[in-house]
Amino acid sequence: MPPTNQSTPAFSPADVTVLFVLGGPGAGKGTQCARLVRDYHFTHLSAGDLLRAEQDRPGSQYGQLIKDCIKNGAIVPMEVTVALLEKAMRDTISATGNKKFLIDGFPRKMDQAFKFEEVVCPARLVLFYDCPEAVMERRLLERGKTSGRADDNEESIRKRFRTFVETSMPVVDHYDAENRVVKVDATPPPDQVYAETQVKLKKVLGDKL
Ligand code: C5P
Ligand code: MG
């Protein structure tokens, strides 16, 4: 067996395209990702959705940990999330052959960013949905009426906003300093946000994305 080299990512960015999709809770990441999937054949992987599925998986050793983190808007230890994402990418590639990924809601913390790019795949860019807290709060409370999510309530929302400002914005700032961020104003209605998303992404990635 050849020795394993920790610093070689599992996937080459020449072969696999990863766009990180960031923005505060309620910025509209999932809504925009759905449109990009429809029009440009990306596979959408939401870190939050993968964590919620793992939480509910019978026999998961991380169920309670994930549940507590989500309720408190805290970041789940990166080993868990990075492993779930890598598995989902492998499963997608072997099942469908699709190698274009929108990784939504990740990385939320600097350690996740470094770990993922080191062991899984360097990202092509970061798509950042910028939105004022008042707008996000209104959307989350509206979604909370039907989402059934344990964290779409006022107390959890306040904690999620705090985590976003203190822990996740530094990730956006880090990539911005490397000129790897495409920033979109997420305040307008979804169609308008999507129009701006397409224009700005095409400038960087070309017309076919
Ligand atoms: O992105 P979403 O709002 O679905 O995330 C819900 C929760 O999942 C976050 O508030 C956090 O507790 C957890 N999460 C995480 N690390 C990520 C993404 C989500 O810990 N990269
Ligand atoms: Mg989401």
Side-chain angles (χ1 to χ4, degrees):
M1 281 246 288
T4 51
N5 181 350
Q6 276 299 314
S7 64
T8 302
F11 305 109
S12 159
D15 186 38
V16 170
T17 302
V18 166
L19 309 190
F20 288 148
V21 182
L22 294 178
K29 302 179 293 292
T31 300
Q32 296 302 317
C33 283
R35 287 166 158 78
L36 290 166
V37 166
R38 179 193 66 198
D39 296 340
Y40 302 100
H41 299 290
F42 284 97
T43 292
H44 174 215
L45 298 178
S46 155
D49 288 350
L50 290 170
L51 287 167
R52 282 182 285 272
E54 176 65 18
Q55 174 197 302
D56 295 338
R57 188 174 63 81
S60 168
Q61 56 175 314
Y62 302 116
Q64 193 58 46
L65 170 72
I66 294 170
K67 194 172 181 175
D68 293 342
C69 285
I70 287 181
K71 181 101 191 152
N72 291 311
I75 305 295
V76 175
M78 62 151 179
E79 289 79 6
V80 177
T81 316
V82 171
L84 289 171
L85 284 168
E86 181 172 357
K87 179 177 187 308
M89 288 174 70
R90 280 188 197 290
D91 290 350
T92 300
I93 292 170
S94 64
T96 70
N98 189 9
K99 295 178 176 178
K100 285 172 65 179
F101 294 95
L102 298 168
I103 309 273
D104 161 2
F106 180 97
R108 289 272 239 287
K109 192 174 172 185
M110 280 310 303
D111 65 349
Q112 301 183 344
F114 288 133
K115 190 73 177 175
F116 184 93
E117 292 203 287
E118 183 193 333
V119 307
V120 183
C121 188
R124 178 69 181 79
L125 55 77
V126 176
L127 181 55
F128 172 53
Y129 287 104
D130 192 21
C131 198
E133 269 186 20
V135 175
M136 297 194 289
E137 182 177 28
R138 207 180 317 130
R139 290 177 185 168
L140 290 172
L141 290 173
E142 188 58 35
R143 182 176 77 181
K145 291 176 186 169
T146 55
S147 69
R149 277 180 54 161
D151 59 351
D152 282 345
N153 58 76
E154 270 181 56
E155 194 186 339
S156 293
I157 289 169
R158 215 173 22 246
K159 293 176 177 171
R160 290 158 75 194
F161 283 167
R162 195 187 166 115
T163 299
F164 179 70
V165 171
E166 292 178 353
T167 310
S168 304
M169 260 325 277
V171 176
V172 177
D173 293 339
H174 162 79
Y175 285 116
D176 199 30
E178 294 183 343
N179 275 319
R180 297 168 70 191
V181 174
V182 172
K183 179 170 150 180
V184 174
D185 177 8
T187 312
D191 286 347
Q192 202 177 320
V193 175
Y194 186 52
E196 189 185 342
T197 298
Q198 291 176 90
V199 168
K200 289 192 166 170
L201 276 183
K202 284 177 181 180
K203 269 191 197 149
V204 180
L205 299 174
D207 271 354
K208 290 165 90 179
L209 299 195

